[in-house]
Amino acid sequence: MPRTILHIDMDCFYAAIEERDNPALRGKPVGVGGRSQRGVLTTANYEARKFGCHSAMPVFKALEKCPHLILVPVRFDVYREESQKIRAIFGRFTELIEPLSLDEAYLDVSALRSDGSAVAREVRNQIREETGLTASAGIAPNKMLAKVASDWEKPDGQFAISESEVADFVHTLPVKKIPGVGSKMAEKLAAIQVQTCGDLQSFERVELARRFGKWGSELYDLSRGVDERPVRTERERKSVSTETTFRENRTTLEELDDSMPPLLESLRDSLGGKHRDRRIKSLVVKLKFADFETTTAERAHGRVDAALFTELLQEAWLRGQGRAVRLLGVGVKFAPKEERTQLELEL
């Protein structure tokens, strides 16, 4: 049966809730996030985005771009409550729901055998009526195209790509629009004269795999609009981590090392709880320097090892060439559950 996948993406979700709850904010540039100069924006509304403000931007940079930016504190309890209401609306149309975050999700509505655009329109109408918030939607035969399409008519719009339109649509689609292709990957593709999916289609799968590994093989399919991934109602956690942003930058390796024990204790607590059945694949240390450049050091290892974390910290620190550090994080990556099951079967 042909698939009909929706990608529903709330418009500036956190900021929209703040504007709804405080109408005095409407029409003004609003940023949600840390109120100190060392904080970062969780999101920015469309008025703030006109000045170049965006999520994950340091507050001090956002204020440089938009001095009259209104900063409001994060209220995750409220955002989660609204997200649950929206999830309940999704559930009226299908049980096949794959949340990506509090403000976006995939819905497989193939079983309805209805026009996908009509279904998306009704979903968006019910969200508006019951929460006072707007959502955008993409409608397509697969997840990748649905996600691309949901950004096409933002905010408060929707865009559909039919099966017969896929080939023409992707031919001129910029490769940077493919989910997962970030700025660095876009630069690598530009270096081999690839700007659009049509350009990428001129490469054989084996050549892309040779250049970019497994991701290259996936790009071969995605550039042709092929994505067979099902909508998964349960998403597998790939990693867990904990981090701290220092009130004052750390300038020595010794200071950073002194900050490790409580982070490792917090990490062990997380692993000993709902993640206790997961097999650890590798350990990771993350540093964010004073200039906001980030680096991570990773090593394959099967358990939390304080000595190895110290080695990874030293490795990451050396990359900074003496730069002060504003954030330290530690974490682990998990082996896929199916990989663990296969190993058990082989034993």
Side-chain angles (χ1 to χ4, degrees), residues 87-342:
R87 174 69 182 272
I89 292 172
F90 295 160
R92 298 168 190 167
F93 297 85
T94 179
E95 295 181 353
L96 296 176
I97 304 165
E98 180 179 337
L100 301 178
S101 61
L102 292 180
D103 62 344
E104 62 174 321
Y106 290 115
L107 284 68
D108 187 332
V109 296
S110 308
L112 294 178
R113 298 183 181 274
S114 301
D115 176 66
S117 293
V119 176
R121 193 172 296 111
E122 183 59 26
V123 172
R124 293 173 51 240
N125 286 341
Q126 291 191 24
I127 290 173
R128 184 197 297 272
E129 291 172 3
E130 297 180 32
T131 69
L133 303 170
T134 64
S136 296
I139 307 98
N142 61 54
K143 290 164 70 171
M144 187 276 282
L145 290 173
K147 187 170 178 64
V148 170
S150 68
D151 198 45
W152 224 250
E153 295 292 340
K154 264 188 168 291
D156 194 22
Q158 62 182 59
F159 184 76
I161 305 168
S162 68
E163 187 74 55
S164 62
E165 295 170 331
V166 170
D168 288 339
F169 179 83
V170 297
H171 188 75
T172 57
L173 183 71
V175 289
K176 63 183 180 181
K177 292 288 188 179
I178 297 176
V181 174
S183 57
K184 290 185 178 179
M185 188 63 192
E187 289 175 6
K188 292 179 181 178
L189 292 170
I192 57 174
Q193 285 72 55
V194 171
Q195 299 290 341
T196 68
C197 288
D199 297 333
L200 195 54
Q201 290 172 18
S202 65
F203 288 81
E204 295 294 332
R205 185 189 298 273
V206 66
E207 172 64 10
L208 291 174
R210 185 184 67 80
R211 289 176 179 271
F212 307 116
K214 181 181 177 182
W215 181 221
S217 181
E218 291 178 15
L219 285 174
Y220 179 88
D221 290 326
L222 296 177
S223 68
R224 290 163 170 76
V226 176
D227 180 9
E228 300 297 338
R229 294 174 300 158
V231 170
R232 298 185 181 277
T233 55
E234 293 185 6
R235 303 190 74 215
E236 182 177 307
R237 186 76 177 260
K238 295 182 178 180
S239 64
V240 64
S241 62
T242 183
E243 60 186 38
T244 183
T245 299
F246 303 117
R247 289 184 177 275
E248 296 183 2
N249 292 342
R250 297 295 188 260
T251 57
T252 69
L253 180 59
E254 289 73 19
E255 289 178 313
L256 290 169
D257 196 38
D258 289 342
S259 303
M260 289 279 279
L263 289 176
L264 293 178
E265 187 63 30
S266 176
L267 181 63
R268 289 190 182 97
D269 287 344
S270 295
L271 293 171
K274 59 183 179 180
H275 305 298
R276 61 182 177 274
D277 63 331
R278 298 297 302 276
R279 188 170 69 85
I280 296 172
K281 179 176 68 174
S282 61
L283 311 184
V284 183
V285 167
K286 170 184 173 183
L287 292 183
K288 182 180 289 186
F289 299 104
D291 59 2
F292 288 89
E293 181 180 331
T294 300
T295 188
T296 58
E298 181 175 349
R299 192 85 53 82
H301 199 70
R303 61 182 179 83
V304 175
D305 185 323
L308 183 51
F309 271 113
T310 297
E311 290 181 21
L312 293 172
L313 173 62
Q314 292 171 344
E315 180 182 329
W317 164 258
L318 289 174
R319 296 176 192 166
Q321 299 180 325
R323 282 177 291 174
V325 173
R326 61 179 281 117
L327 177 147
L328 168 64
V330 298
V332 302
K333 291 184 178 179
F334 296 124
K337 287 185 176 180
E338 58 268 25
E339 178 180 320
R340 181 191 63 186
T341 301
Q342 183 65 34

Side-chain angles (χ1 to χ4, degrees), residues 11-20 25 28-36 39-46 48-49 53-59 62-63 69-76 78-79:
D11 300 318
C12 294
F13 187 49
Y14 300 169
I17 291 173
E18 298 302 335
E19 290 182 53
R20 180 199 65 185
L25 297 175
K28 300 175 182 178
V30 175
V32 179
R35 307 197 64 166
S36 72
V40 296
L41 294 183
T42 303
T43 191
N45 68 357
Y46 288 106
R49 293 182 188 187
C53 300
H54 56 77
S55 61
M57 175 177 280
V59 168
L63 290 173
L69 179 70
I70 300 173
L71 291 170
V72 296
V74 176
R75 298 188 296 160
F76 277 121
V78 176
Y79 309 151

